Amino acid sequence: MEILDEILKAFDVDFLSVEDEETYNNIRVKYVGKNGLVTEALKEIKNVAADKKKEYGESVNKLKNLLESRLADLKQKLEEKALKRELDEMERVDLTTPAADQSGSLHPVTITRNKIVNVFKSMGFTVEDGNEIETEYNNFEAVNIPKDHPARDMQDTFYLANGQVLKTHTSASQNRIMRKYGAPLRVIFPGRCFRNEELDASHENTFFQLEGMMIDKNISIANLIYFMKTMLSQVFGKEVEVRLRPGFFPFVEPGFELDCSCPYCGGKGCNVCKKGGWIELCPCGMIHPRVLEMGGINPEEYQGFAFGLGLSRMAMMNFEINDIRVLNGGKLKQLKQVKTK
Ligand code: FA5
């Protein structure tokens, strides 16, 4: 019995020295662990006189329960103390301090788009959003590409189960925008396009275009050339020349491919222009009268031009990226390496 009193006294002393989880575990193991002092005391029962065994056994169990209950209280207090410490620590964090590492940055396509959008805005154009899922009508019929027209094969289309399509070109928004605003109209509409393409260094199945339309009275090819030349000179930060070559698109008449003198070598020939001095930049043309009509605009009264710039390819040029797949690859390491020209 005396030994039990000694255990309790020693426990009281050790108990006061507990400060943390580690010292707590030490005394728990020392007293009520598998080989702890209380367990050892219980084993001593074999040396106790037969008539005292019951009383001794009960006393050891009472001691064990007492120590365990005091240890449980102590554990709870330690946990509360740790939680309070954590909360104090959190309160000390100044949430208004600017982050040390500003690691986010804009995507090359976004930077290029913003540059072009700002130039067009300064020339009085508004900016519209387009849908990514479109009706077949808007993507094709409304831009003069009826069913079974061979031009549908120019763009390998992703069809959805409900008969709608993933927009193959930004021209899919032309009809909705004309119907919304009518004429006169100056608008650009950048957007993501999808084509079921064989992928290579210059073809993606998901890429960006930036389309523009200007509709007014007495609009001619001269307006188209003026706006494209002004926009490109500002985007490239130097005076560039543009030239038109004939091109076919059912929604423009006449249609053109617009080339721009290479802004990087001044037309002398370099890797970007493949030594030719000119860069093929964007298809364009005078909006077909039928397309105006389908958009609710009288072609007898109004004319307009439209263009469809390959925004992803423009970003590649701007950032010296020679494989378009880098843009959607999601590899931050590669994107961080690109630098603007
Ligand atoms: C069109 O999409 C026409 N809607 C453009 C247009 C608008 C013409 C208004 C006339 C008037 P095209 O299929 O050529 O045209 O595509 C336009 C540009 O998008 C291309 O010059 C190219 O830069 C880019 N482009 C086309 N397909 C891909 C692709 N798979 N990956 C990356 N860029 C592409």
Side-chain angles (χ1 to χ4, degrees), residues 155 169 171 174 195 197 202-204 207 209 211 249 251-252 283-284 306-308 310 313 324:
Q155 302 173 1
H169 55 173
S171 306
Q174 283 192 7
R195 291 186 195 176
E197 298 264 20
S202 51
H203 292 86
E204 251 293 1
F207 57 96
Q209 291 184 343
E211 184 126 347
F249 301 91
F251 32 95
V252 283
C284 54
F307 62 87
R313 294 209 186 139
I324 195 167

PDB file of all heavy atoms in Angstrom, residues 155 169 171 174 195 197 202-204 207 209 211 249 251-252 283-284 306-308 310 313 324, ligand 1:
ATOM      1  N   GLN A 155     -13.210  23.907 -92.977  1.00  0.00           N
ATOM      2  CA  GLN A 155     -13.064  23.947 -91.516  1.00  0.00           C
ATOM      3  C   GLN A 155     -13.627  22.660 -90.924  1.00  0.00           C
ATOM      4  O   GLN A 155     -14.825  22.423 -90.993  1.00  0.00           O
ATOM      5  CB  GLN A 155     -13.839  25.139 -90.953  1.00  0.00           C
ATOM      6  CG  GLN A 155     -13.385  26.459 -91.541  1.00  0.00           C
ATOM      7  CD  GLN A 155     -14.262  27.624 -91.115  1.00  0.00           C
ATOM      8  OE1 GLN A 155     -15.202  27.456 -90.363  1.00  0.00           O
ATOM      9  NE2 GLN A 155     -13.953  28.788 -91.619  1.00  0.00           N
ATOM     10  N   HIS A 169     -15.029  29.552 -86.330  1.00  0.00           N
ATOM     11  CA  HIS A 169     -14.406  30.853 -86.610  1.00  0.00           C
ATOM     12  C   HIS A 169     -15.222  31.956 -85.930  1.00  0.00           C
ATOM     13  O   HIS A 169     -16.411  31.795 -85.658  1.00  0.00           O
ATOM     14  CB  HIS A 169     -14.261  31.112 -88.110  1.00  0.00           C
ATOM     15  CG  HIS A 169     -15.542  31.008 -88.894  1.00  0.00           C
ATOM     16  ND1 HIS A 169     -15.631  31.344 -90.221  1.00  0.00           N
ATOM     17  CD2 HIS A 169     -16.798  30.598 -88.554  1.00  0.00           C
ATOM     18  CE1 HIS A 169     -16.868  31.166 -90.648  1.00  0.00           C
ATOM     19  NE2 HIS A 169     -17.586  30.706 -89.670  1.00  0.00           N
ATOM     20  N   SER A 171     -16.292  34.484 -87.221  1.00  0.00           N
ATOM     21  CA  SER A 171     -17.345  34.978 -88.128  1.00  0.00           C
ATOM     22  C   SER A 171     -18.723  34.478 -87.696  1.00  0.00           C
ATOM     23  O   SER A 171     -19.748  35.050 -88.077  1.00  0.00           O
ATOM     24  CB  SER A 171     -17.065  34.518 -89.564  1.00  0.00           C
ATOM     25  OG  SER A 171     -15.775  34.889 -89.955  1.00  0.00           O
ATOM     26  N   GLN A 174     -20.959  37.149 -86.414  1.00  0.00           N
ATOM     27  CA  GLN A 174     -21.322  38.303 -87.265  1.00  0.00           C
ATOM     28  C   GLN A 174     -22.818  38.576 -87.253  1.00  0.00           C
ATOM     29  O   GLN A 174     -23.272  39.697 -87.025  1.00  0.00           O
ATOM     30  CB  GLN A 174     -20.885  38.047 -88.713  1.00  0.00           C
ATOM     31  CG  GLN A 174     -19.407  38.238 -88.960  1.00  0.00           C
ATOM     32  CD  GLN A 174     -19.082  38.252 -90.456  1.00  0.00           C
ATOM     33  OE1 GLN A 174     -19.959  38.239 -91.308  1.00  0.00           O
ATOM     34  NE2 GLN A 174     -17.796  38.260 -90.759  1.00  0.00           N
ATOM     35  N   ARG A 195     -11.311  23.597 -84.195  1.00  0.00           N
ATOM     36  CA  ARG A 195     -11.381  22.836 -85.453  1.00  0.00           C
ATOM     37  C   ARG A 195     -10.743  21.471 -85.223  1.00  0.00           C
ATOM     38  O   ARG A 195      -9.723  21.369 -84.536  1.00  0.00           O
ATOM     39  CB  ARG A 195     -10.642  23.569 -86.578  1.00  0.00           C
ATOM     40  CG  ARG A 195     -11.346  24.837 -86.987  1.00  0.00           C
ATOM     41  CD  ARG A 195     -10.699  25.498 -88.195  1.00  0.00           C
ATOM     42  NE  ARG A 195     -11.184  26.870 -88.303  1.00  0.00           N
ATOM     43  CZ  ARG A 195     -10.775  27.751 -89.196  1.00  0.00           C
ATOM     44  NH1 ARG A 195      -9.863  27.398 -90.097  1.00  0.00           N
ATOM     45  NH2 ARG A 195     -11.274  28.972 -89.217  1.00  0.00           N
ATOM     46  N   GLU A 197      -8.538  19.567 -86.265  1.00  0.00           N
ATOM     47  CA  GLU A 197      -7.354  19.637 -87.133  1.00  0.00           C
ATOM     48  C   GLU A 197      -6.330  18.563 -86.798  1.00  0.00           C
ATOM     49  O   GLU A 197      -6.249  18.120 -85.659  1.00  0.00           O
ATOM     50  CB  GLU A 197      -6.634  20.978 -86.894  1.00  0.00           C
ATOM     51  CG  GLU A 197      -7.405  22.210 -87.214  1.00  0.00           C
ATOM     52  CD  GLU A 197      -7.096  22.740 -88.595  1.00  0.00           C
ATOM     53  OE1 GLU A 197      -6.585  21.951 -89.432  1.00  0.00           O
ATOM     54  OE2 GLU A 197      -7.381  23.911 -88.840  1.00  0.00           O
ATOM     55  N   SER A 202       1.898  24.873 -86.393  1.00  0.00           N
ATOM     56  CA  SER A 202       1.092  26.086 -86.600  1.00  0.00           C
ATOM     57  C   SER A 202      -0.413  25.817 -86.582  1.00  0.00           C
ATOM     58  O   SER A 202      -1.200  26.721 -86.858  1.00  0.00           O
ATOM     59  CB  SER A 202       1.500  26.790 -87.899  1.00  0.00           C
ATOM     60  OG  SER A 202       1.505  25.870 -88.940  1.00  0.00           O
ATOM     61  N   HIS A 203      -0.821  24.593 -86.281  1.00  0.00           N
ATOM     62  CA  HIS A 203      -2.256  24.277 -86.216  1.00  0.00           C
ATOM     63  C   HIS A 203      -2.624  23.673 -84.876  1.00  0.00           C
ATOM     64  O   HIS A 203      -2.049  22.666 -84.460  1.00  0.00           O
ATOM     65  CB  HIS A 203      -2.662  23.293 -87.327  1.00  0.00           C
ATOM     66  CG  HIS A 203      -2.582  23.901 -88.688  1.00  0.00           C
ATOM     67  ND1 HIS A 203      -1.418  23.923 -89.411  1.00  0.00           N
ATOM     68  CD2 HIS A 203      -3.515  24.526 -89.433  1.00  0.00           C
ATOM     69  CE1 HIS A 203      -1.639  24.544 -90.573  1.00  0.00           C
ATOM     70  NE2 HIS A 203      -2.916  24.916 -90.604  1.00  0.00           N
ATOM     71  N   GLU A 204      -3.591  24.298 -84.238  1.00  0.00           N
ATOM     72  CA  GLU A 204      -4.139  23.797 -82.966  1.00  0.00           C
ATOM     73  C   GLU A 204      -5.592  23.437 -83.209  1.00  0.00           C
ATOM     74  O   GLU A 204      -6.211  23.962 -84.140  1.00  0.00           O
ATOM     75  CB  GLU A 204      -4.081  24.913 -81.915  1.00  0.00           C
ATOM     76  CG  GLU A 204      -3.054  24.708 -80.829  1.00  0.00           C
ATOM     77  CD  GLU A 204      -3.341  23.547 -79.897  1.00  0.00           C
ATOM     78  OE1 GLU A 204      -4.356  22.854 -80.079  1.00  0.00           O
ATOM     79  OE2 GLU A 204      -2.533  23.319 -78.986  1.00  0.00           O
ATOM     80  N   PHE A 207      -7.897  27.494 -80.777  1.00  0.00           N
ATOM     81  CA  PHE A 207      -7.038  28.657 -81.029  1.00  0.00           C
ATOM     82  C   PHE A 207      -7.897  29.923 -81.017  1.00  0.00           C
ATOM     83  O   PHE A 207      -9.123  29.840 -80.951  1.00  0.00           O
ATOM     84  CB  PHE A 207      -6.326  28.525 -82.392  1.00  0.00           C
ATOM     85  CG  PHE A 207      -7.279  28.360 -83.542  1.00  0.00           C
ATOM     86  CD1 PHE A 207      -7.674  29.454 -84.308  1.00  0.00           C
ATOM     87  CD2 PHE A 207      -7.834  27.125 -83.842  1.00  0.00           C
ATOM     88  CE1 PHE A 207      -8.574  29.316 -85.347  1.00  0.00           C
ATOM     89  CE2 PHE A 207      -8.746  26.977 -84.876  1.00  0.00           C
ATOM     90  CZ  PHE A 207      -9.121  28.074 -85.637  1.00  0.00           C
ATOM     91  N   GLN A 209      -9.061  33.701 -82.627  1.00  0.00           N
ATOM     92  CA  GLN A 209      -9.108  34.663 -83.724  1.00  0.00           C
ATOM     93  C   GLN A 209      -9.595  35.994 -83.156  1.00  0.00           C
ATOM     94  O   GLN A 209     -10.174  36.047 -82.069  1.00  0.00           O
ATOM     95  CB  GLN A 209     -10.096  34.211 -84.807  1.00  0.00           C
ATOM     96  CG  GLN A 209      -9.643  32.989 -85.589  1.00  0.00           C
ATOM     97  CD  GLN A 209     -10.613  32.636 -86.715  1.00  0.00           C
ATOM     98  OE1 GLN A 209     -11.757  33.082 -86.744  1.00  0.00           O
ATOM     99  NE2 GLN A 209     -10.141  31.817 -87.640  1.00  0.00           N
ATOM    100  N   GLU A 211     -11.867  39.018 -84.773  1.00  0.00           N
ATOM    101  CA  GLU A 211     -12.595  39.441 -85.969  1.00  0.00           C
ATOM    102  C   GLU A 211     -13.017  40.896 -85.834  1.00  0.00           C
ATOM    103  O   GLU A 211     -13.221  41.401 -84.718  1.00  0.00           O
ATOM    104  CB  GLU A 211     -13.842  38.561 -86.109  1.00  0.00           C
ATOM    105  CG  GLU A 211     -14.641  38.817 -87.356  1.00  0.00           C
ATOM    106  CD  GLU A 211     -14.868  37.548 -88.155  1.00  0.00           C
ATOM    107  OE1 GLU A 211     -14.207  36.516 -87.880  1.00  0.00           O
ATOM    108  OE2 GLU A 211     -15.707  37.599 -89.067  1.00  0.00           O
ATOM    109  N   PHE A 249     -13.572  33.516 -99.604  1.00  0.00           N
ATOM    110  CA  PHE A 249     -14.399  33.188 -98.438  1.00  0.00           C
ATOM    111  C   PHE A 249     -15.831  33.529 -98.834  1.00  0.00           C
ATOM    112  O   PHE A 249     -16.069  34.642 -99.328  1.00  0.00           O
ATOM    113  CB  PHE A 249     -13.986  34.017 -97.209  1.00  0.00           C
ATOM    114  CG  PHE A 249     -12.557  33.811 -96.828  1.00  0.00           C
ATOM    115  CD1 PHE A 249     -11.563  34.625 -97.343  1.00  0.00           C
ATOM    116  CD2 PHE A 249     -12.199  32.773 -95.982  1.00  0.00           C
ATOM    117  CE1 PHE A 249     -10.237  34.418 -97.025  1.00  0.00           C
ATOM    118  CE2 PHE A 249     -10.873  32.564 -95.652  1.00  0.00           C
ATOM    119  CZ  PHE A 249      -9.882  33.381 -96.178  1.00  0.00           C
ATOM    120  N   PHE A 251     -18.292  34.584 -97.396  1.00  0.00           N
ATOM    121  CA  PHE A 251     -18.979  35.696 -96.735  1.00  0.00           C
ATOM    122  C   PHE A 251     -18.415  37.065 -97.082  1.00  0.00           C
ATOM    123  O   PHE A 251     -18.838  38.076 -96.538  1.00  0.00           O
ATOM    124  CB  PHE A 251     -18.996  35.499 -95.210  1.00  0.00           C
ATOM    125  CG  PHE A 251     -17.782  34.770 -94.683  1.00  0.00           C
ATOM    126  CD1 PHE A 251     -16.696  35.472 -94.202  1.00  0.00           C
ATOM    127  CD2 PHE A 251     -17.755  33.387 -94.675  1.00  0.00           C
ATOM    128  CE1 PHE A 251     -15.587  34.791 -93.725  1.00  0.00           C
ATOM    129  CE2 PHE A 251     -16.644  32.708 -94.197  1.00  0.00           C
ATOM    130  CZ  PHE A 251     -15.556  33.400 -93.727  1.00  0.00           C
ATOM    131  N   VAL A 252     -17.417  37.097 -97.973  1.00  0.00           N
ATOM    132  CA  VAL A 252     -16.904  38.397 -98.433  1.00  0.00           C
ATOM    133  C   VAL A 252     -16.805  38.396 -99.963  1.00  0.00           C
ATOM    134  O   VAL A 252     -16.548  37.361-100.591  1.00  0.00           O
ATOM    135  CB  VAL A 252     -15.515  38.717 -97.818  1.00  0.00           C
ATOM    136  CG1 VAL A 252     -15.650  39.177 -96.381  1.00  0.00           C
ATOM    137  CG2 VAL A 252     -14.569  37.539 -97.925  1.00  0.00           C
ATOM    138  N   PRO A 283      -7.139  36.928 -93.368  1.00  0.00           N
ATOM    139  CA  PRO A 283      -8.123  37.001 -94.438  1.00  0.00           C
ATOM    140  C   PRO A 283      -9.114  38.137 -94.164  1.00  0.00           C
ATOM    141  O   PRO A 283      -9.384  38.458 -93.009  1.00  0.00           O
ATOM    142  CB  PRO A 283      -8.826  35.653 -94.378  1.00  0.00           C
ATOM    143  CG  PRO A 283      -8.333  34.954 -93.183  1.00  0.00           C
ATOM    144  CD  PRO A 283      -7.341  35.800 -92.478  1.00  0.00           C
ATOM    145  N   CYS A 284      -9.616  38.720 -95.211  1.00  0.00           N
ATOM    146  CA  CYS A 284     -10.538  39.849 -95.041  1.00  0.00           C
ATOM    147  C   CYS A 284     -11.304  40.086 -96.343  1.00  0.00           C
ATOM    148  O   CYS A 284     -11.122  39.344 -97.310  1.00  0.00           O
ATOM    149  CB  CYS A 284      -9.741  41.104 -94.680  1.00  0.00           C
ATOM    150  SG  CYS A 284      -8.430  41.477 -95.851  1.00  0.00           S
ATOM    151  N   ALA A 306     -14.824  43.192 -93.379  1.00  0.00           N
ATOM    152  CA  ALA A 306     -14.629  42.290 -92.237  1.00  0.00           C
ATOM    153  C   ALA A 306     -13.256  41.656 -92.365  1.00  0.00           C
ATOM    154  O   ALA A 306     -12.736  41.498 -93.477  1.00  0.00           O
ATOM    155  CB  ALA A 306     -15.712  41.216 -92.216  1.00  0.00           C
ATOM    156  N   PHE A 307     -12.676  41.332 -91.237  1.00  0.00           N
ATOM    157  CA  PHE A 307     -11.396  40.606 -91.260  1.00  0.00           C
ATOM    158  C   PHE A 307     -11.380  39.593 -90.122  1.00  0.00           C
ATOM    159  O   PHE A 307     -12.094  39.751 -89.122  1.00  0.00           O
ATOM    160  CB  PHE A 307     -10.199  41.568 -91.139  1.00  0.00           C
ATOM    161  CG  PHE A 307     -10.196  42.337 -89.850  1.00  0.00           C
ATOM    162  CD1 PHE A 307      -9.596  41.807 -88.700  1.00  0.00           C
ATOM    163  CD2 PHE A 307     -10.809  43.573 -89.763  1.00  0.00           C
ATOM    164  CE1 PHE A 307      -9.604  42.514 -87.500  1.00  0.00           C
ATOM    165  CE2 PHE A 307     -10.830  44.279 -88.569  1.00  0.00           C
ATOM    166  CZ  PHE A 307     -10.230  43.746 -87.433  1.00  0.00           C
ATOM    167  N   GLY A 308     -10.583  38.551 -90.265  1.00  0.00           N
ATOM    168  CA  GLY A 308     -10.485  37.525 -89.217  1.00  0.00           C
ATOM    169  C   GLY A 308      -9.028  37.217 -88.937  1.00  0.00           C
ATOM    170  O   GLY A 308      -8.404  36.380 -89.596  1.00  0.00           O
ATOM    171  N   GLY A 310      -5.748  35.821 -87.183  1.00  0.00           N
ATOM    172  CA  GLY A 310      -5.356  34.648 -86.391  1.00  0.00           C
ATOM    173  C   GLY A 310      -4.602  35.124 -85.151  1.00  0.00           C
ATOM    174  O   GLY A 310      -3.390  35.335 -85.197  1.00  0.00           O
ATOM    175  N   ARG A 313      -1.702  32.998 -83.772  1.00  0.00           N
ATOM    176  CA  ARG A 313      -0.485  33.092 -84.600  1.00  0.00           C
ATOM    177  C   ARG A 313       0.187  34.448 -84.431  1.00  0.00           C
ATOM    178  O   ARG A 313       1.412  34.566 -84.489  1.00  0.00           O
ATOM    179  CB  ARG A 313      -0.824  32.824 -86.069  1.00  0.00           C
ATOM    180  CG  ARG A 313      -1.275  31.393 -86.273  1.00  0.00           C
ATOM    181  CD  ARG A 313      -0.959  30.873 -87.642  1.00  0.00           C
ATOM    182  NE  ARG A 313      -1.550  29.549 -87.813  1.00  0.00           N
ATOM    183  CZ  ARG A 313      -2.149  29.144 -88.905  1.00  0.00           C
ATOM    184  NH1 ARG A 313      -2.253  29.952 -89.945  1.00  0.00           N
ATOM    185  NH2 ARG A 313      -2.647  27.930 -88.972  1.00  0.00           N
ATOM    186  N   ILE A 324       2.845  26.418 -81.953  1.00  0.00           N
ATOM    187  CA  ILE A 324       1.575  26.912 -81.400  1.00  0.00           C
ATOM    188  C   ILE A 324       1.127  26.087 -80.189  1.00  0.00           C
ATOM    189  O   ILE A 324       0.420  26.573 -79.313  1.00  0.00           O
ATOM    190  CB  ILE A 324       0.477  26.913 -82.489  1.00  0.00           C
ATOM    191  CG1 ILE A 324      -0.723  27.755 -82.041  1.00  0.00           C
ATOM    192  CG2 ILE A 324       0.033  25.508 -82.866  1.00  0.00           C
ATOM    193  CD1 ILE A 324      -1.709  28.068 -83.135  1.00  0.00           C
TER     194      ILE A 324
HETATM  195  C1  FA5 B   1     -11.560  32.273 -91.323  1.00  0.00           C
HETATM  196  O1  FA5 B   1     -11.710  31.658 -90.291  1.00  0.00           O
HETATM  197  C2  FA5 B   1     -12.480  33.382 -91.715  1.00  0.00           C
HETATM  198  N1  FA5 B   1     -13.641  33.348 -90.892  1.00  0.00           N
HETATM  199  C3  FA5 B   1     -11.762  34.726 -91.586  1.00  0.00           C
HETATM  200  C4  FA5 B   1     -12.442  35.888 -92.246  1.00  0.00           C
HETATM  201  C5  FA5 B   1     -13.203  36.742 -91.473  1.00  0.00           C
HETATM  202  C6  FA5 B   1     -12.311  36.120 -93.611  1.00  0.00           C
HETATM  203  C7  FA5 B   1     -13.847  37.819 -92.101  1.00  0.00           C
HETATM  204  C8  FA5 B   1     -12.936  37.169 -94.213  1.00  0.00           C
HETATM  205  C9  FA5 B   1     -13.686  38.038 -93.446  1.00  0.00           C
HETATM  206  P1  FA5 B   1      -9.330  31.083 -91.910  1.00  0.00           P
HETATM  207  O2  FA5 B   1      -9.851  29.729 -91.872  1.00  0.00           O
HETATM  208  O3  FA5 B   1      -8.288  31.336 -92.948  1.00  0.00           O
HETATM  209  O4  FA5 B   1     -10.478  32.147 -92.104  1.00  0.00           O
HETATM  210  O5  FA5 B   1      -8.754  31.467 -90.499  1.00  0.00           O
HETATM  211  C10 FA5 B   1      -8.335  32.778 -90.190  1.00  0.00           C
HETATM  212  C11 FA5 B   1      -7.018  32.747 -89.421  1.00  0.00           C
HETATM  213  O6  FA5 B   1      -7.163  31.931 -88.264  1.00  0.00           O
HETATM  214  C12 FA5 B   1      -5.888  32.094 -90.202  1.00  0.00           C
HETATM  215  O7  FA5 B   1      -5.254  33.038 -91.041  1.00  0.00           O
HETATM  216  C13 FA5 B   1      -4.984  31.598 -89.105  1.00  0.00           C
HETATM  217  O8  FA5 B   1      -4.132  32.647 -88.679  1.00  0.00           O
HETATM  218  C14 FA5 B   1      -5.949  31.267 -88.005  1.00  0.00           C
HETATM  219  N2  FA5 B   1      -6.174  29.808 -87.948  1.00  0.00           N
HETATM  220  C15 FA5 B   1      -6.982  29.057 -88.737  1.00  0.00           C
HETATM  221  N3  FA5 B   1      -6.920  27.771 -88.388  1.00  0.00           N
HETATM  222  C16 FA5 B   1      -6.056  27.688 -87.351  1.00  0.00           C
HETATM  223  C17 FA5 B   1      -5.574  26.621 -86.524  1.00  0.00           C
HETATM  224  N4  FA5 B   1      -5.969  25.366 -86.672  1.00  0.00           N
HETATM  225  N5  FA5 B   1      -4.690  26.906 -85.553  1.00  0.00           N
HETATM  226  C18 FA5 B   1      -4.279  28.194 -85.377  1.00  0.00           C
HETATM  227  N6  FA5 B   1      -4.692  29.243 -86.078  1.00  0.00           N
HETATM  228  C19 FA5 B   1      -5.577  29.001 -87.071  1.00  0.00           C
END
